[in-house]
Amino acid sequence: MRDMKNCVIKTTAVLAWTLLCCTAASAQQQKQPQVFKVIPEFPKEQDTVELVYDARTTVLKDAKNISAQLTGYTDFKWTTTDIKFAKNDSVWTAKYMLPAHLALMNLVFKSDTSVDNGGEQTYSYMLAADDKRQMSGAMLGWGLLRTPNIVGGVPYVVDSAAYKSDEVLLMWVKYELKYHPENRFRVLYAAASALKHMDTAESLAKLNKELITLTQIPDISEQDLLEIDRVYREILKDTAKAEAFQQRIVAQFPKGQYIKDQQRLADFKLIQQAKTDDERLKAAMDFIDKHPYQEAEDAFNEANRISYISAYWIISVYTSMKKDLFNYSKYMSKIAPYEALSNVIYRSLDVPYLSQKSIGPAEILPYARVIMERLNYYKDNFQGDKYATLYYSNAPLFAKILVDNKLYDEAFAYAAAAQSAASYKNADLNDTYVRALEGQGKAKELQMALEKSYAMNQSSTYMLELMKTIYSAKNKSDKGYEEYLASLKNADKGKELKEKVQKLLINKNIPDFELLDQHGKKVRLSSQKGKIVVLDFWASWCAPCKGAFPGMKLAVDHFKNDPNVVFYFINTQERKPDMKDYVTNYMKENSYPFTVLLDVGSKASKAAGVGPIPHKMVVGPDGRLRFSEVGYMGSTSELADEIIEMVNVLKAGK
């Protein structure tokens, strides 16, 4: 009871720390800036409030950016929302619309790796209802928030210094019931957890007595019986009592939630048990038809591994593969929860269109439109960073699909939204953005986008060619073009590249190899001593490998007149033994002046330690391996500059 005696309680107040602070602490707060507050002080549910954070006396006092993780207790469930704050004079502020039935919220402020969770007092806030009582669940939530080690399912968001004992949790359960006696069953799990955690003969006797009393209540509801069943199953681990309650529930409520839950579980298992793709698709569609997603059923779904995300991605992939737009639209237009969209976008749009390139722009457009409409529904009707993040992270894909269909105005809306977050740091997005601007005929904006992308070293081959075309048309020739490009270079980016390359320097042995090129000529690595040798390990099935070729071509062209720098593109990890014709035709069709070495059986690459591809290596004049880097990030200009810088470092004798 000490927690209660030392606290000033205002049942009409909303500041949770008021319920926690002793008189001395309150007096001290009057002399110091209030770190966190909500304006207005007594808001109503679904009001838009201003959250104010004064970081001047906190660990985030020097932060350049601040966000907060808001944990809410709404309808006796925990929710999480990420909120970005903006600097306003000396404080940080954010607008937030209070969800219906929000009883309690707790904020944890973050900046990079630094965190301010309010310490012992926390940054928690209880909300009051119109009748001036605290919202239903507020006092229970406050007790739970500080006892996550006692009650399962409570988020660990407050400082451990704010943790309280079983007795304090039971105290807040009593206060919840004092002002909201209708919540007797809703506080049961928390109270039972505390009594079991105390694990004394007296506490267990109290718990059993309470359970017996509750079971004898006339006209008890199914939900209330399920709460008792949950205590027997999860807290007391009394299987016999739990099964008895389940039988009672089935008998009393043959069309109730328990029966629905069990049927939903059985129908989901049919998806997992399906033997063929057609059976799996039918089972997934039947599951969604019979059991439309209900947020209220999340707890049971999670506990029993029922995944609507899995069901929807199965439907999306198989219907799109079958080119069944009717069923794709039928199910994807109502997809829920919103988390399912991420998987569906990746599986049914991103992979076939970008990675596998197995479907064309016109063919994929109607499928993309279905998803765009559903994505916009979530963005427009729900607040919180998680919804916006899903939109912005997928905007580049939709922009590209629209650009490729020459729908430039629509594409620009998505590309501009994505660019607002990327700030020209992604070459693929820059390419899409530039094409949209070009299609709209926005010459001034196009020029600016091309130059900003080049300054960030994030240009595609198409963009570089377009820059030269525009320059030549404007100046009647390409004279001075190289000087123009040099003037655009960002000095900081150039410095970063040099520092990166210096850090990548190594000095290792590389096994010798002898391979045939696509023309049948033998090439031996050891015979290249005295030269700088650039090796690019790739395969015909590797999209990033091929995506890097335009950048590698720029590097090859840069050193084409230098006999002491040679490039070899080693075709490896192939599934077909004879790749000579494919390689020859591919290089000719794409105008790549590459010497390709055929690593049949991948012996040379395995000996060199090559795993994932693309993998680029640079061998010095002494035959030692000096650079070794895996992957390709998508920028033609950046890749070319990096390879050129690596070679120049070795030419300088490093």
Side-chain angles (χ1 to χ4, degrees), residues 558-624:
H558 183 86
F559 292 108
K560 64 182 179 181
N561 295 320
D562 190 336
N564 292 316
V565 180
V566 294
F567 288 76
Y568 293 116
F569 293 77
I570 303 181
N571 178 250
T572 188
Q573 300 182 16
E574 292 291 357
R575 298 176 177 88
K576 297 179 180 179
D578 186 7
M579 289 294 295
K580 182 179 177 180
D581 290 342
Y582 171 84
V583 166
T584 302
N585 292 333
Y586 185 80
M587 296 303 154
K588 183 178 180 180
E589 289 169 1
N590 290 278
S591 301
Y592 291 140
F594 300 163
T595 299
V596 180
L597 306 184
L598 304 172
D599 186 18
V600 180
S602 306
K603 293 180 181 179
S605 64
K606 288 178 182 177
V610 173
I613 50 177
H615 190 145
K616 295 168 181 58
M617 296 181 177
V618 183
V619 180
D622 59 355
R624 302 280 291 176

Side-chain angles (χ1 to χ4, degrees), residues 86-322:
K87 190 74 175 289
N88 187 356
D89 293 329
S90 59
V91 299
W92 295 80
T93 63
K95 297 290 186 181
Y96 179 65
M97 189 181 77
L98 302 173
H101 311 303
L102 177 68
L104 170 77
M105 58 180 170
N106 178 84
L107 278 79
V108 175
F109 295 96
K110 303 177 180 180
S111 179
D112 299 324
T113 58
S114 299
V115 175
D116 178 17
N117 56 19
E120 184 178 359
Q121 291 184 349
T122 80
Y123 296 129
S124 300
Y125 203 90
M126 274 191 213
L127 286 100
D130 291 340
D131 60 6
K132 302 304 180 184
R133 294 186 301 169
Q134 259 130 359
M135 290 286 291
S136 175
M139 285 176 276
L140 174 64
W142 175 233
L144 291 172
L145 195 67
R146 297 175 301 154
T147 54
N149 54 325
I150 296 173
V151 185
V154 179
Y156 283 78
V157 291
V158 301
D159 194 293
S160 58
Y163 287 2
K164 298 299 175 181
S165 64
D166 303 287
E167 290 84 355
V168 172
L169 174 57
L170 290 172
M171 180 190 76
W172 287 106
V173 167
K174 290 178 182 178
Y175 279 116
E176 179 69 37
L177 292 177
K178 178 179 178 180
Y179 295 102
H180 293 281
E182 72 277 10
N183 290 338
R184 186 171 185 179
F185 282 93
R186 306 192 86 167
V187 304
L188 176 60
Y189 193 83
S193 296
L195 291 168
K196 181 65 172 69
H197 190 261
M198 295 166 77
D199 203 26
T200 66
E202 182 182 5
S203 67
L204 294 176
K206 284 183 179 179
L207 175 54
N208 281 306
K209 182 180 179 181
E210 178 68 6
L211 290 171
I212 292 171
T213 301
L214 293 175
T215 58
Q216 295 173 348
I217 293 176
D219 301 322
I220 189 170
S221 71
E222 181 191 15
Q223 183 57 46
D224 294 341
L225 284 174
L226 286 170
E227 287 298 323
I228 297 173
D229 170 62
R230 186 182 174 206
V231 170
Y232 278 121
R233 278 187 296 108
E234 297 181 11
I235 298 176
L236 294 177
K237 311 293 184 185
D238 190 331
T239 305
K241 287 280 181 66
E243 290 179 353
F245 265 91
Q246 290 164 9
Q247 292 174 8
R248 176 179 172 179
I249 292 168
V250 170
Q252 284 187 235
F253 304 96
K255 295 184 178 180
Q257 188 62 45
Y258 178 80
I259 294 294
K260 291 179 181 178
D261 287 343
Q262 297 305 312
Q263 186 61 55
R264 190 167 70 258
L265 177 59
D267 288 339
F268 184 75
K269 287 182 177 178
L270 292 177
I271 302 174
Q272 300 171 313
Q273 295 165 359
K275 299 286 194 258
T276 67
D277 290 348
D278 286 342
E279 289 177 359
R280 195 170 295 109
L281 173 59
K282 184 179 185 305
M285 291 194 295
D286 288 346
F287 172 77
I288 297 297
D289 289 340
K290 293 179 184 177
H291 313 285
Y293 173 75
Q294 302 289 331
E295 187 178 353
E297 297 171 342
D298 278 350
F300 181 87
N301 292 341
E302 291 174 9
N304 292 274
R305 299 182 180 180
I306 297 174
S307 173
Y308 279 78
I309 293 176
S310 295
Y312 273 112
W313 81 251
I314 287 171
I315 296 172
S316 72
V317 169
Y318 291 139
T319 54
S320 60
M321 286 174 61
K322 291 173 175 287

Side-chain angles (χ1 to χ4, degrees), residues 44 97 112 156 161 166 173 234 243 252 270 311 341 345-346 359 365 391 405 436 464 482 488 494 513 515 527 581:
K44 298 178 181 178
M97 189 181 77
D112 299 324
Y156 283 78
D166 303 287
V173 167
E234 297 181 11
E243 290 179 353
Q252 284 187 235
L270 292 177
L341 270 168
I345 292 169
Y346 176 72
I359 187 170
L365 181 60
Y391 174 84
N405 279 281
L464 294 173
E482 293 301 325
L488 299 177
F513 61 76
L515 299 171
S527 66
D581 290 342

